[in-house]
Every structure is written in structure tokens, then in C-alpha cells.
Amino acid sequence: MGVHLQEEIIIDILIKLPVRSLLRFKCVSMLWMTLVSDPYFTMKHFNYGKNNQHSPKILVLNGEFRSHCSSLSTALLSSVQLVEDVQKLDWPCNRRPLSFRMYCCYDGLALIKVRDYPCYERHILLLWNPSTRESVVLPRTEFSVISDYACGLGYDSVSGDYKILKIDQRARSEILTLKSGSWRKIDKRPIGVHPVLSDMEDSLAFVHGAFHWLDSSLNNSLVSFSISNEVYREIPWQEGMSLVFHRHYIKYGLSVLEGLLCVYSTHVHRGIYTFKLSVMKDYGIKESWILLFSIQGTDLHSIIPKYKFSDGEVLLRCRHVERKGVVLKTFKESSGLWPQPDSECIQNGFVFTESLISPKLLLT
């Protein structure tokens, strides 16, 4: 009993430590190596970081060829500094890829498409843990990975498995269950469902065991797809909240902030960009949609909300009218863009909770 109590005390201490320290501490003793490698400890460590708003998060910024990693523990972007080292993927080949694209993240894992070099026609999908720098090559899909598509990564609590949903521009869908290691076509798509894949930068929002996306044929609701029973349904907007898909709306999509489903849009009129972010407070209840905030400007567009801080501040990924690539800002700050104009151009950014989850162990 004394040994068990000592082990629980050690676990309560270790779950508060960053992943890098835990990886080093595996060398302390066989006991610590066994503890840190145990799936029970892995999930307990992740849930502590996920549920603790004050625990540091990782901001991963991917450029054209490499990815930077930085600790994100405050809403002030001016205090965010890139660490000296550059995160390196555990590439399946020795050559650096021509380019890569980060689609989405969930439970500390990222889904990435890699364009190999010099084989320009070869594209592969990777599941990557930026905390441990471990990655695994996913099986080849039924549909071409060269064409654009939207992806979603989520966890099915019923089967205890991670699943990936992929939808291409022709509204064809297929799903990968990591335990099975194979893709499967989904033929139960309702007639008329055509996902809004405006620029393929959005991931399919995953919350309450379902993927969500906007549909160009539906102005009064959005589409959800349960990964447990693979059932489609429509989630209605509140009265007067309908999105009209026309040329004045240059960006719209769904995201998840603090476990809540959000819808955002950027509307342009006479050179003025208006961004609106609404959140569904009670899932599935259309009367619970509320406008979180709205901002206007002339230099920022295609805004995507990325993370909500404990003080209510929201980190936004934006495109700047006069700059290449994207910038980050917070909605309460009237000025202050990051990175600075003389810094390396970034293509996208994601906020992660540190995780010890091994992609290689998930794919069996």
C-alpha cells in the first residue's frame, strides 16, 4: 500500500510537467519509464493540461518548409517568442519534402499532408505529435490526395478509436479508423449535401462526438456527422442568423473554442471587412446561439479564430492585405500583429495541448 501511495504521489507530480521533461525523465529509472509510457498516465497528463486553462499551450506555426514551436501562456502576442530550435518532423524518407500542409489538430495530434521531393506527384498523409516529434505515415486513401479536400480528426468514445474524415470538392467522403488501418467510403450522404470548401484551410470542426461543416445548399443550418453511428443531421441557426453564400462573404467556417461550436464569417462592403464570431452555448439548441464579438477593419480579412484564453481573449489567424502569408492578433488589441513584417512568412497556426500520445501506437 505504501508503494502504491508513493506511485500516486509521483504521478500527481509528473502530470504537471512538460512533455520534454517527461521524455528525459524516462532515463531516471525503470519505474519512471514504465509510468511515463503507461496509457493511463498519458491520458491523465493530457487531461490535466487540457482542462487547466492556466497550463501552457503550444503554438505551432508552419511555414513553407518548416514549423516553429512556441509556448503560448498569455493573450499578449508581444510576449510570445519563438524558441531557438525548430521542430523537425520524423520524415519517412531522408530528403526534406517539397512542402507540407497542416490540416487540423486534436488531442495534441496534427494531420499533415506532405508533398514529397523530387516526386512531385507523390503526396502522403502523416499523423504527427509536435510535442514528442513522432509521426506515422497513414494508409493511402481511396480518393486522390493531390486534389484539395477538408479533413477532420476526432476521438470516438464508443469504439475507443481515433477517426479521420475526409471530404473532397465533389462532396465524396471517406473515413479512416486508426485501429483498422484502412479507409472506407461513406455512401450514406444525403442528397444535396455539398460542403463549403472555400479555400481548404478549414478543418471539420469536431465536438460532441461529431464533425461539423457548412453547406452551400443550406442557409439556415449546418451539417453534423456522428463518427459513432455515422448519421448525418442538421443543426439550425437562430432566427436572423442565416449565412448567405455570395461574393460579399469572402470567408466563413466553423471552429471549436473551449469545447463550444462556433461559426465565423468575414463580409466585405466598400473596402471595409467585418468579422463576426458566434457561439452555440448549448449544443443542438438553436436559441442558444449568441454573437461573441464583431470587429471591422480595412487591412485584415479571411479571419479564423484559433484559441480562447482564460480571460476571454481570442487568438485570430488573419490574412493581411499588404503582406504575404498570415498574421496572428487578438480581437481586443486594436494594433499588434505577429510575426513582424521582417520575420519569416507563415502559412497557418495551431494551438496544441501538450501530449504524450504516440501516433505509431494508434495505427495498428
Side-chain angles (χ1 to χ4, degrees):
M1 183 175 180
V3 174
H4 178 72
L5 179 61
Q6 181 184 14
E7 182 176 309
E8 286 299 317
I9 294 175
I10 293 175
I11 289 177
D12 287 340
I13 295 174
L14 294 182
I15 62 172
K16 300 176 176 65
L17 300 180
V19 168
R20 280 194 178 184
S21 298
L22 293 174
L23 294 178
R24 291 198 304 268
F25 291 165
K26 279 186 174 184
C27 302
V28 172
S29 66
M30 286 297 297
L31 173 62
W32 281 30
M33 181 176 182
T34 302
L35 282 177
V36 174
S37 304
D38 188 85
Y40 167 77
F41 177 84
T42 296
M43 293 311 302
K44 191 167 184 177
H45 175 269
F46 175 76
N47 289 330
Y48 174 82
K50 179 181 179 181
N51 298 325
N52 186 353
Q53 275 279 4
H54 299 289
S55 66
K57 301 298 185 291
I58 300 175
L59 174 62
V60 176
L61 305 172
N62 68 279
E64 294 185 21
F65 301 107
R66 58 180 181 174
S67 138
H68 296 287
C69 177
S70 161
S71 176
L72 184 67
S73 57
T74 175
L76 297 176
L77 289 179
S78 58
S79 66
V80 177
Q81 298 293 329
L82 288 175
V83 294
E84 291 183 359
D85 64 317
V86 176
Q87 291 279 18
K88 295 181 180 179
L89 287 172
D90 181 17
W91 298 115
C93 56
N94 294 326
R95 295 185 298 266
R96 179 196 288 185
L98 180 66
S99 64
F100 70 92
R101 186 175 196 171
M102 193 180 301
Y103 278 102
C104 57
C105 60
Y106 187 78
D107 279 3
L109 302 172
L111 184 63
I112 299 175
K113 181 170 75 171
V114 175
R115 186 178 179 186
D116 203 0
Y117 177 85
C119 305
Y120 299 105
E121 297 301 320
R122 184 169 180 249
H123 293 70
I124 58 177
L125 287 175
L126 293 174
L127 191 62
W128 175 47
N129 184 330
S131 301
T132 63
R133 306 183 185 184
E134 180 184 352
S135 66
V136 64
V137 180
L138 297 177
R140 296 189 67 84
T141 67
E142 182 75 16
F143 306 132
S144 172
V145 296
I146 299 178
S147 59
D148 282 332
Y149 49 82
C151 287
L153 170 66
Y155 180 74
D156 182 4
S157 60
V158 175
S159 63
D161 195 6
Y162 286 88
K163 297 182 178 181
I164 297 171
L165 179 66
K166 184 166 76 70
I167 307 177
D168 67 10
Q169 290 178 317
R170 296 169 58 185
R172 298 179 303 178
S173 305
E174 56 181 338
I175 193 167
L176 168 68
T177 57
L178 294 187
K179 286 184 179 179
S180 70
S182 61
W183 291 89
R184 175 170 50 84
K185 293 181 182 179
I186 299 177
D187 299 321
K188 295 183 290 184
R189 179 178 60 84
I191 297 176
V193 173
H194 297 286
V196 177
L197 307 179
S198 55
D199 61 5
M200 315 309 294
E201 292 179 346
D202 299 334
S203 59
L204 303 177
F206 183 78
V207 65
H208 285 273
F211 293 110
H212 302 77
W213 63 88
L214 297 178
D215 189 291
S216 58
S217 64
L218 302 173
N219 291 329
N220 300 309
S221 61
L222 58 92
V223 179
S224 73
F225 176 79
S226 170
I227 61 173
S228 296
N229 52 22
E230 298 187 2
V231 173
Y232 291 89
R233 61 179 290 221
E234 293 182 22
I235 297 180
W237 305 123
Q238 197 172 35
E239 297 297 330
M241 189 182 161
S242 301
L243 281 181
V244 179
F245 300 100
H246 56 64
R247 60 186 178 86
H248 293 298
Y249 279 92
I250 61 174
K251 183 67 181 176
Y252 27 69
L254 299 175
S255 64
V256 177
L257 298 176
E258 292 187 319
L260 300 178
L261 186 63
C262 303
V263 60
Y264 57 87
S265 64
T266 301
H267 177 270
V268 59
H269 181 65
R270 295 181 178 179
I272 303 296
Y273 297 96
T274 301
F275 172 78
K276 293 183 179 181
L277 177 64
S278 298
V279 60
M280 178 178 265
K281 302 292 287 186
D282 297 311
Y283 183 75
I285 308 300
K286 73 174 184 179
E287 291 79 12
S288 69
W289 283 104
I290 62 169
L291 178 66
L292 197 59
F293 65 85
S294 175
I295 56 177
Q296 287 186 326
T298 58
D299 55 350
L300 299 176
H301 64 92
S302 297
I303 301 174
I304 300 177
K306 287 295 185 178
Y307 181 72
K308 188 177 181 182
F309 295 90
S310 57
D311 62 355
E313 181 66 284
V314 177
L315 180 68
L316 303 172
R317 194 230 70 168
C318 323
R319 290 196 177 276
H320 195 280
V321 173
E322 299 179 353
R323 291 175 56 178
K324 181 182 178 182
V326 303
V327 294
L328 299 176
K329 75 179 299 293
T330 51
F331 86 93
K332 291 181 181 179
E333 291 184 284
S334 58
S335 61
L337 301 177
W338 191 78
Q340 298 301 316
D342 56 348
S343 302
E344 179 184 351
C345 174
I346 62 175
Q347 304 299 320
N348 212 336
F350 292 87
V351 178
F352 290 79
T353 298
E354 281 201 319
S355 171
L356 286 163
I357 298 175
S358 170
K360 294 181 180 179
L361 294 181
L362 296 178
L363 190 65
T364 58

mmCIF file of all heavy atoms in Angstrom, residues 50-68:
data_model
loop_
_atom_site.group_PDB
_atom_site.id
_atom_site.type_symbol
_atom_site.label_atom_id
_atom_site.label_comp_id
_atom_site.label_asym_id
_atom_site.label_seq_id
_atom_site.Cartn_x
_atom_site.Cartn_y
_atom_site.Cartn_z
ATOM 1 N N LYS A 50 -5.230 19.851 -20.686
ATOM 2 C CA LYS A 50 -6.393 20.289 -21.467
ATOM 3 C C LYS A 50 -7.397 21.030 -20.600
ATOM 4 O O LYS A 50 -7.978 22.038 -21.026
ATOM 5 C CB LYS A 50 -7.053 19.072 -22.117
ATOM 6 C CG LYS A 50 -8.296 19.384 -22.931
ATOM 7 C CD LYS A 50 -8.878 18.107 -23.511
ATOM 8 C CE LYS A 50 -10.145 18.387 -24.310
ATOM 9 N NZ LYS A 50 -10.721 17.126 -24.864
ATOM 10 N N ASN A 51 -7.638 20.545 -19.390
ATOM 11 C CA ASN A 51 -8.666 21.116 -18.527
ATOM 12 C C ASN A 51 -8.168 22.258 -17.662
ATOM 13 O O ASN A 51 -8.973 22.937 -17.014
ATOM 14 C CB ASN A 51 -9.257 20.023 -17.631
ATOM 15 C CG ASN A 51 -9.931 18.925 -18.440
ATOM 16 O OD1 ASN A 51 -10.532 19.192 -19.476
ATOM 17 N ND2 ASN A 51 -9.833 17.688 -17.974
ATOM 18 N N ASN A 52 -6.863 22.473 -17.634
ATOM 19 C CA ASN A 52 -6.300 23.563 -16.846
ATOM 20 C C ASN A 52 -6.015 24.749 -17.763
ATOM 21 O O ASN A 52 -5.069 24.734 -18.545
ATOM 22 C CB ASN A 52 -5.009 23.095 -16.153
ATOM 23 C CG ASN A 52 -4.447 24.143 -15.210
ATOM 24 O OD1 ASN A 52 -4.928 25.280 -15.157
ATOM 25 N ND2 ASN A 52 -3.424 23.769 -14.471
ATOM 26 N N GLN A 53 -6.853 25.779 -17.668
ATOM 27 C CA GLN A 53 -6.712 26.943 -18.546
ATOM 28 C C GLN A 53 -5.372 27.642 -18.365
ATOM 29 O O GLN A 53 -4.887 28.316 -19.266
ATOM 30 C CB GLN A 53 -7.842 27.940 -18.280
ATOM 31 C CG GLN A 53 -9.121 27.658 -19.041
ATOM 32 C CD GLN A 53 -9.060 28.163 -20.473
ATOM 33 O OE1 GLN A 53 -8.026 28.660 -20.926
ATOM 34 N NE2 GLN A 53 -10.153 28.027 -21.197
ATOM 35 N N HIS A 54 -4.750 27.501 -17.204
ATOM 36 C CA HIS A 54 -3.504 28.217 -16.923
ATOM 37 C C HIS A 54 -2.266 27.406 -17.298
ATOM 38 O O HIS A 54 -1.147 27.903 -17.176
ATOM 39 C CB HIS A 54 -3.451 28.593 -15.443
ATOM 40 C CG HIS A 54 -4.570 29.487 -15.011
ATOM 41 N ND1 HIS A 54 -4.662 30.808 -15.394
ATOM 42 C CD2 HIS A 54 -5.672 29.226 -14.260
ATOM 43 C CE1 HIS A 54 -5.758 31.340 -14.880
ATOM 44 N NE2 HIS A 54 -6.384 30.406 -14.188
ATOM 45 N N SER A 55 -2.461 26.178 -17.747
ATOM 46 C CA SER A 55 -1.311 25.391 -18.170
ATOM 47 C C SER A 55 -0.837 25.875 -19.535
ATOM 48 O O SER A 55 -1.653 26.244 -20.384
ATOM 49 C CB SER A 55 -1.671 23.903 -18.245
ATOM 50 O OG SER A 55 -2.618 23.673 -19.270
ATOM 51 N N PRO A 56 0.471 25.918 -19.780
ATOM 52 C CA PRO A 56 0.993 26.417 -21.058
ATOM 53 C C PRO A 56 0.508 25.579 -22.246
ATOM 54 O O PRO A 56 0.387 24.366 -22.158
ATOM 55 C CB PRO A 56 2.517 26.294 -20.895
ATOM 56 C CG PRO A 56 2.739 26.252 -19.429
ATOM 57 C CD PRO A 56 1.553 25.544 -18.853
ATOM 58 N N LYS A 57 0.206 26.271 -23.320
ATOM 59 C CA LYS A 57 -0.174 25.606 -24.564
ATOM 60 C C LYS A 57 0.932 25.824 -25.592
ATOM 61 O O LYS A 57 1.775 26.713 -25.450
ATOM 62 C CB LYS A 57 -1.501 26.158 -25.097
ATOM 63 C CG LYS A 57 -2.674 26.002 -24.131
ATOM 64 C CD LYS A 57 -2.973 24.556 -23.833
ATOM 65 C CE LYS A 57 -4.220 24.392 -22.961
ATOM 66 N NZ LYS A 57 -4.041 24.868 -21.582
ATOM 67 N N ILE A 58 0.937 25.021 -26.644
ATOM 68 C CA ILE A 58 1.958 25.129 -27.688
ATOM 69 C C ILE A 58 1.350 25.787 -28.920
ATOM 70 O O ILE A 58 0.311 25.361 -29.401
ATOM 71 C CB ILE A 58 2.511 23.749 -28.077
ATOM 72 C CG1 ILE A 58 3.144 23.067 -26.871
ATOM 73 C CG2 ILE A 58 3.533 23.868 -29.195
ATOM 74 C CD1 ILE A 58 3.604 21.658 -27.165
ATOM 75 N N LEU A 59 2.001 26.830 -29.398
ATOM 76 C CA LEU A 59 1.609 27.461 -30.650
ATOM 77 C C LEU A 59 2.547 26.960 -31.736
ATOM 78 O O LEU A 59 3.751 27.217 -31.703
ATOM 79 C CB LEU A 59 1.700 28.987 -30.540
ATOM 80 C CG LEU A 59 1.451 29.782 -31.818
ATOM 81 C CD1 LEU A 59 0.034 29.555 -32.330
ATOM 82 C CD2 LEU A 59 1.704 31.267 -31.586
ATOM 83 N N VAL A 60 1.999 26.223 -32.697
ATOM 84 C CA VAL A 60 2.796 25.690 -33.796
ATOM 85 C C VAL A 60 2.475 26.484 -35.057
ATOM 86 O O VAL A 60 1.322 26.564 -35.478
ATOM 87 C CB VAL A 60 2.515 24.191 -34.033
ATOM 88 C CG1 VAL A 60 3.278 23.685 -35.252
ATOM 89 C CG2 VAL A 60 2.902 23.378 -32.799
ATOM 90 N N LEU A 61 3.490 27.091 -35.632
ATOM 91 C CA LEU A 61 3.348 27.876 -36.856
ATOM 92 C C LEU A 61 4.075 27.166 -37.982
ATOM 93 O O LEU A 61 5.271 26.903 -37.872
ATOM 94 C CB LEU A 61 3.938 29.280 -36.666
ATOM 95 C CG LEU A 61 3.397 30.087 -35.482
ATOM 96 C CD1 LEU A 61 4.206 31.359 -35.317
ATOM 97 C CD2 LEU A 61 1.931 30.400 -35.689
ATOM 98 N N ASN A 62 3.363 26.851 -39.048
ATOM 99 C CA ASN A 62 4.043 26.191 -40.150
ATOM 100 C C ASN A 62 4.236 27.153 -41.312
ATOM 101 O O ASN A 62 3.324 27.873 -41.709
ATOM 102 C CB ASN A 62 3.297 24.929 -40.608
ATOM 103 C CG ASN A 62 1.966 25.202 -41.263
ATOM 104 O OD1 ASN A 62 0.971 25.411 -40.595
ATOM 105 N ND2 ASN A 62 1.957 25.170 -42.592
ATOM 106 N N GLY A 63 5.488 27.187 -41.797
ATOM 107 C CA GLY A 63 5.814 27.960 -42.988
ATOM 108 C C GLY A 63 5.801 27.058 -44.193
ATOM 109 O O GLY A 63 5.174 26.007 -44.210
ATOM 110 N N GLU A 64 6.544 27.425 -45.211
ATOM 111 C CA GLU A 64 6.533 26.624 -46.426
ATOM 112 C C GLU A 64 7.303 25.324 -46.249
ATOM 113 O O GLU A 64 6.955 24.303 -46.821
ATOM 114 C CB GLU A 64 7.124 27.440 -47.585
ATOM 115 C CG GLU A 64 6.277 28.642 -47.977
ATOM 116 C CD GLU A 64 6.847 29.332 -49.202
ATOM 117 O OE1 GLU A 64 7.612 28.680 -49.936
ATOM 118 O OE2 GLU A 64 6.536 30.501 -49.423
ATOM 119 N N PHE A 65 8.383 25.333 -45.473
ATOM 120 C CA PHE A 65 9.230 24.152 -45.382
ATOM 121 C C PHE A 65 9.466 23.675 -43.956
ATOM 122 O O PHE A 65 9.963 22.589 -43.756
ATOM 123 C CB PHE A 65 10.590 24.419 -46.031
ATOM 124 C CG PHE A 65 10.480 24.805 -47.474
ATOM 125 C CD1 PHE A 65 10.708 26.109 -47.863
ATOM 126 C CD2 PHE A 65 10.129 23.872 -48.430
ATOM 127 C CE1 PHE A 65 10.609 26.475 -49.201
ATOM 128 C CE2 PHE A 65 10.022 24.234 -49.764
ATOM 129 C CZ PHE A 65 10.261 25.528 -50.151
ATOM 130 N N ARG A 66 9.147 24.486 -42.969
ATOM 131 C CA ARG A 66 9.445 24.068 -41.616
ATOM 132 C C ARG A 66 8.390 24.612 -40.653
ATOM 133 O O ARG A 66 7.538 25.401 -41.009
ATOM 134 C CB ARG A 66 10.824 24.537 -41.188
ATOM 135 C CG ARG A 66 11.033 26.045 -41.253
ATOM 136 C CD ARG A 66 12.435 26.406 -40.818
ATOM 137 N NE ARG A 66 12.652 27.849 -40.860
ATOM 138 C CZ ARG A 66 13.746 28.433 -40.421
ATOM 139 N NH1 ARG A 66 14.708 27.710 -39.897
ATOM 140 N NH2 ARG A 66 13.881 29.746 -40.488
ATOM 141 N N SER A 67 8.485 24.172 -39.421
ATOM 142 C CA SER A 67 7.492 24.538 -38.443
ATOM 143 C C SER A 67 8.173 25.017 -37.177
ATOM 144 O O SER A 67 9.137 24.428 -36.707
ATOM 145 C CB SER A 67 6.595 23.336 -38.207
ATOM 146 O OG SER A 67 6.308 23.147 -36.910
ATOM 147 N N HIS A 68 7.696 26.151 -36.649
ATOM 148 C CA HIS A 68 8.206 26.707 -35.404
ATOM 149 C C HIS A 68 7.286 26.311 -34.262
ATOM 150 O O HIS A 68 6.096 26.134 -34.439
ATOM 151 C CB HIS A 68 8.275 28.240 -35.474
ATOM 152 C CG HIS A 68 9.221 28.752 -36.496
ATOM 153 N ND1 HIS A 68 10.586 28.689 -36.354
ATOM 154 C CD2 HIS A 68 9.004 29.347 -37.684
ATOM 155 C CE1 HIS A 68 11.167 29.234 -37.415
ATOM 156 N NE2 HIS A 68 10.225 29.631 -38.234
#
